């Protein structure tokens, strides 16, 4: 039921341009939700551009987001368009938004508010039309409370908040997810492997700290290592 409500919300908001903030533990499917919103939107024919905010330091993230001009820093041998520019008319997905620095938060806030920015080392102001979808495995409200995330940026991002449930909170979905992953592996390998009810019941009892991503990995491991056509508890 909780996922059905999220699907309904996706249908409701997809056609709008409001910013979306998707929160949830790692492996709960935040990026899949972002893709679903984009695919159902009026921007579906335009780019969906992803930026992993947590994987880059402040300088690299600024260059990745806004681009840079030739000679703006050591190694900048040519002009580079940033992800925000590449996402023009489409959707920009900012993953792990809770990991960006305070200084970068200020620059991002201005770019989102004004829909304009300058490349690193550049003077020309570039205007873009992008929809922002952000995601984090942290509580941005807690970060705001602890003065680690700007309150104004938080409210700018969380016009429409979506909270992704952990897999342990939706155990009844586990059999359907197992079937989905197993069917995909069978199609890929041209096999007909099945899994017993006892094995499914055993998997339902696990806490799944890695959520759906962990479940997918486990099913692939069982698929590969099981010598028989039937995956069982043995």
């Amino acid at each position: 039921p909780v996922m059905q409500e999220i699907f309904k919300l996706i249908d409701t908001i997809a056609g709008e341009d409001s910013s979306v903030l998707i929160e949830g533990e790692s492996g709960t499917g935040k990026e899949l939700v972002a893709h679903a919103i984009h695919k159902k939107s009026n921007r579906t024919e335009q780019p969906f551009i992803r930026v992993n905010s947590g994987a880059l330091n402040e300088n690299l993230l600024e260059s990745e987001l806004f681009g840079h001009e030739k000679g703006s820093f050591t190694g900048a041998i040519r002009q580079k368009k940033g992800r925000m520019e590449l996402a023009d008319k489409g959707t920009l997905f900012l993953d792990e938004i809770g990991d960006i620095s305070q200084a970068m938060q200020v620059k991002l806030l201005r770019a989102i508010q004004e829909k304009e920015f300058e490349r690193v080392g550049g003077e020309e102001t570039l205007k873009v039309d992008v929809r922002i979808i952000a995601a984090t495995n942290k509580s941005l409200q807690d970060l705001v409370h602890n003065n680690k995330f700007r309150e104004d940026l938080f409210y700018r991002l969380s016009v429409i908040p979506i909270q992704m449930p952990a897999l342990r909170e939706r155990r009844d979905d586990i059999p359907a997810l197992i079937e989905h992953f197993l069917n995909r592996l069978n199609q890929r390998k041209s096999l007909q492997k099945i899994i017993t009810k006892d094995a499914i019941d055993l998997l339902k009892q696990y806490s799944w700290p890695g959520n759906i991503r962990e479940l997918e990995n486990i099913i692939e491991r069982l698929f590969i290592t099981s010598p028989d056509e039937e995956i069982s508890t043995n």
Side-chain angles (χ1 to χ4, degrees):
V2 67
M3 291 307 299
Q4 293 297 331
E5 289 302 314
I6 289 175
F7 296 149
K8 289 178 185 176
L9 182 58
I10 289 171
D11 288 338
T12 301
I13 68 175
E16 306 297 329
D17 286 332
S18 303
S19 298
V20 180
L21 176 64
I22 309 169
E23 292 186 307
E25 296 177 9
S26 293
T28 50
K30 297 186 292 295
E31 187 170 352
L32 290 175
V33 168
H35 272 286
I37 294 170
H38 176 73
K39 286 182 178 179
K40 288 175 176 285
S41 75
N42 300 326
R43 300 171 181 264
T44 184
E45 300 299 327
Q46 302 301 323
F48 177 93
I49 304 293
R50 177 182 182 271
V51 179
N52 188 342
S53 310
L56 302 170
N57 65 39
E58 183 179 320
N59 292 332
L60 286 175
L61 180 58
E62 184 176 8
S63 174
E64 191 72 12
L65 267 178
F66 305 132
H68 60 252
E69 297 292 348
K70 179 180 178 180
S72 56
F73 55 85
T74 303
I77 58 175
R78 59 180 177 273
Q79 184 193 75
K80 175 189 174 183
K81 290 184 177 180
R83 297 299 179 94
M84 186 164 278
E85 189 175 350
L86 293 172
D88 190 27
K89 304 294 188 298
T91 301
L92 182 66
F93 177 54
L94 301 171
D95 201 7
E96 304 306 344
I97 191 67
D99 293 334
I100 67 173
S101 69
Q102 293 271 358
M104 195 64 218
Q105 288 173 33
V106 175
K107 294 172 183 177
L108 181 59
L109 175 63
R110 182 241 171 174
I112 294 174
Q113 281 186 161
E114 307 298 332
K115 296 187 180 296
E116 64 181 33
F117 60 92
E118 292 80 37
R119 298 191 188 106
V120 176
E123 297 179 354
E124 180 187 2
T125 297
L126 304 172
K127 289 189 171 291
V128 290
D129 170 22
V130 297
R131 185 185 194 167
I132 302 293
I133 302 179
T136 178
N137 60 10
K138 300 177 180 178
S139 168
L140 286 196
Q141 282 188 311
D142 288 347
L143 293 178
V144 169
H145 181 73
N146 293 319
N147 296 316
K148 293 182 178 179
F149 199 88
R150 292 182 62 94
E151 188 174 28
D152 46 6
L153 178 57
F154 168 70
Y155 286 118
R156 182 64 62 177
L157 292 171
S158 62
V159 177
I160 301 170
I162 297 178
Q163 184 66 44
M164 296 298 293
L167 187 54
R168 61 184 173 277
E169 297 169 358
R170 46 181 291 218
R171 294 179 190 273
D172 289 344
D173 291 348
I174 290 176
L177 289 165
I178 291 172
E179 181 181 5
H180 169 70
F181 295 137
L182 202 55
N183 285 341
R184 195 161 64 183
L185 288 164
N186 275 323
Q187 289 176 5
R188 191 187 307 165
K189 302 291 186 180
S190 299
L191 296 172
Q192 294 293 326
K193 288 197 175 186
I194 60 172
I195 186 167
T196 66
K197 183 180 181 302
D198 287 345
I200 292 175
D201 289 341
L202 189 62
L203 291 170
K204 285 180 69 175
Q205 295 173 28
Y206 181 55
S207 62
W208 299 108
N211 293 293
I212 300 172
R213 186 181 296 122
E214 184 182 9
L215 175 62
E216 182 178 12
N217 290 344
I218 288 291
I219 296 304
E220 184 171 355
R221 186 186 310 165
L222 291 171
F223 184 91
I224 292 171
T225 59
S226 176
D228 304 316
E229 290 293 298
E230 184 177 82
I231 299 170
S232 67
T233 56
N234 298 329

